[in-house]
Amino acid sequence: MTMNLTCRSTSLASRRQQGYGRLLILLVAATLSHISGARQVLRWSEEFKPGCKTTDKFCINGGINLHKFGFDLGDGTSYGPSLIGWGNWQRQCHTNASSNVRVEPFPNNPTDGMLVIQAGYEPSGYTCFNENAPPSTTNYTSARLITRNKATFKWKGAPGNSTPVRIDVRLKVPLVNGTWASAWMLPETNKTWCMACGPYGDGWCLGGEIDIMEHINSNDYLISNVHHGGLPNASWVGCKQTVAVYKNKPKMSDWNVLSMIWDSTYIRFLANGKEYNKITLGKWSTGGSSSPYAPFDVPFYLIFDLAIGGLYPGYKIDNAKVAAGEARFNIDYIRVYDIVP
């Protein structure tokens, strides 16, 4: 918002506008003061400590905690034939095999670990298992880790008078053409047959989507995004998005901390502690409700995945680098905080 502080009109309308401007300044100052005096209280986290006890059936692939995470498997058709390629023509089959998803120790610190989601290339073809749907054949494998029905997140309190939640993810993306690494969120639902169902409708994008981070190919930038809109009888019609770009050319191959701060009245995105995008109340909506807070007023679950191909990265896939194991999406930790006064 741009405020014209040079206006000297003495009209009633102008005086009202100036009054609103002063009120806005005071509100912004109060908000900044409130945030600067706030503290972060850890609500939930995963540090991906390496190692599993042989007796622990809830720990797999070197340290993935099944109390906290599950998997989306297959090519998307488990959620319906229209979702082949996960709705946007991705080429991979998601598995829970250790070759595609595991916890590894850091090379110089064996007591600390990282989640590795690694794509694979199968030139002779890979038979993809799809629950409640026929198998398919693809040349690529990868993984999608989810907290659905295990851990969900949202701001606390009442709409308009809430305590923000902050989600930090320390990650390292692959710089390989054809890859699409994401840390994102969808609304929680107990409808196991539906991937994008929620309280405001069964289908994307009525329930909304929050993209903490997306990266494609060998780009020198990351993006954040929110999706919303849709019509009650046609959830995909009228979908809107708000995209912002974080450029980090010299260090894109390094570790970065991507953050999202979510309140009932705003969603902020940060990279390495620096805000680069903010979406405020009134900038989002859903065809499933007339509430100005919807659809971002219900619990969402976390998703971490590495796709190969798709409408966003395209199909110029570097098969040699995928086959060589360079298509790795690494996550050091996920930490969720309540920001309290």
Side-chain angles (χ1 to χ4, degrees):
M1 176 181 290
T2 301
M3 291 183 290
N4 184 358
L5 300 181
T6 62
C7 179
R8 294 292 185 269
S9 171
T10 58
S11 67
L12 177 60
S14 179
R15 289 198 299 273
R16 284 178 176 171
Q17 186 177 19
Q18 291 171 4
Y20 294 155
R22 286 193 293 271
L23 177 59
L24 179 60
I25 291 171
L26 289 173
L27 287 173
V28 171
T31 300
L32 291 174
S33 175
H34 172 74
I35 292 175
S36 64
R39 59 192 176 93
Q40 296 185 160
V41 177
L42 188 67
R43 185 198 301 187
W44 184 96
S45 68
E46 180 52 59
E47 304 292 328
F48 296 111
K49 296 297 183 182
C52 287
K53 295 180 180 178
T54 56
T55 57
D56 189 353
K57 64 181 180 180
F58 293 101
C59 180
I60 66 169
N61 298 7
I64 297 175
N65 186 342
L66 297 183
H67 289 295
K68 293 184 174 182
F69 299 100
F71 300 91
D72 268 334
L73 301 175
D75 63 11
T77 52
S78 295
Y79 292 115
S82 64
L83 280 177
I84 186 169
W86 299 98
N88 49 45
W89 303 106
Q90 298 170 19
R91 293 290 173 83
Q92 81 287 342
C93 176
H94 284 314
T95 84
N96 58 5
S98 60
S99 56
N100 293 125
V101 58
R102 60 190 177 274
V103 171
E104 289 184 2
F106 275 92
N108 298 322
N109 187 0
T111 63
D112 191 12
M114 71 182 94
L115 176 72
V116 178
I117 302 177
Q118 181 173 334
Y121 177 53
E122 304 284 346
S124 59
Y126 177 85
T127 301
C128 183
F129 168 76
N130 296 294
E131 187 176 8
N132 301 319
S136 58
T137 302
T138 182
N139 295 115
Y140 305 96
T141 59
S142 190
R144 177 184 289 194
L145 206 67
I146 60 176
T147 68
R148 178 173 171 169
N149 296 321
K150 296 177 184 290
T152 60
F153 309 99
K154 182 180 78 77
W155 45 264
K156 291 183 177 180
N161 185 25
S162 52
T163 298
V165 61
R166 174 173 179 146
I167 301 175
D168 290 351
V169 185
R170 187 171 187 259
L171 52 82
K172 187 175 182 180
V173 299
L175 300 181
V176 176
N177 285 336
T179 59
W180 181 359
S182 304
W184 54 300
M185 305 179 77
L186 285 175
E188 179 65 283
T189 179
N190 59 6
K191 297 177 179 178
T192 57
W193 51 268
C194 184
M195 185 175 68
C197 289
Y200 298 116
D202 293 348
W204 188 89
C205 61
L206 282 169
E209 175 183 323
I210 301 172
D211 300 325
I212 300 172
M213 183 286 305
E214 291 183 279
H215 177 268
I216 61 169
N217 301 324
S218 56
N219 288 356
D220 62 357
Y221 60 86
L222 307 165
I223 73 163
S224 64
N225 197 4
V226 296
H227 297 271
H228 57 92
L231 299 178
N233 59 347
S235 64
W236 64 94
V237 175
C239 290
K240 302 177 179 65
Q241 62 179 354
T242 303
V243 181
V245 173
Y246 172 71
K247 289 194 173 183
N248 194 18
K249 184 175 181 178
K251 298 182 178 180
M252 188 49 61
S253 61
D254 293 346
W255 289 94
N256 290 276
V257 178
L258 278 294
S259 307
M260 187 266 293
I261 301 177
W262 178 17
D263 185 71
S264 61
T265 60
Y266 63 80
I267 300 175
R268 300 169 56 203
F269 295 96
L270 301 86
N272 301 317
K274 182 179 180 180
E275 180 177 310
Y276 68 98
N277 190 16
K278 183 176 182 180
I279 304 148
T280 55
L281 186 68
K283 302 294 186 180
W284 65 70
S285 64
T286 172
S289 173
S290 60
S291 169
Y293 300 98
F296 302 116
D297 59 349
V298 299
F300 278 54
Y301 67 94
L302 286 164
I303 307 167
F304 304 93
D305 71 330
L306 177 62
I308 299 297
L311 296 180
Y312 183 28
Y315 300 99
K316 293 182 179 180
I317 302 167
D318 192 331
N319 292 332
K321 287 189 176 181
V322 176
E326 296 182 36
R328 287 172 50 114
F329 178 26
N330 299 336
I331 299 174
D332 180 13
Y333 60 71
I334 308 158
R335 296 171 183 167
V336 182
Y337 301 91
D338 293 309
I339 302 178
V340 300

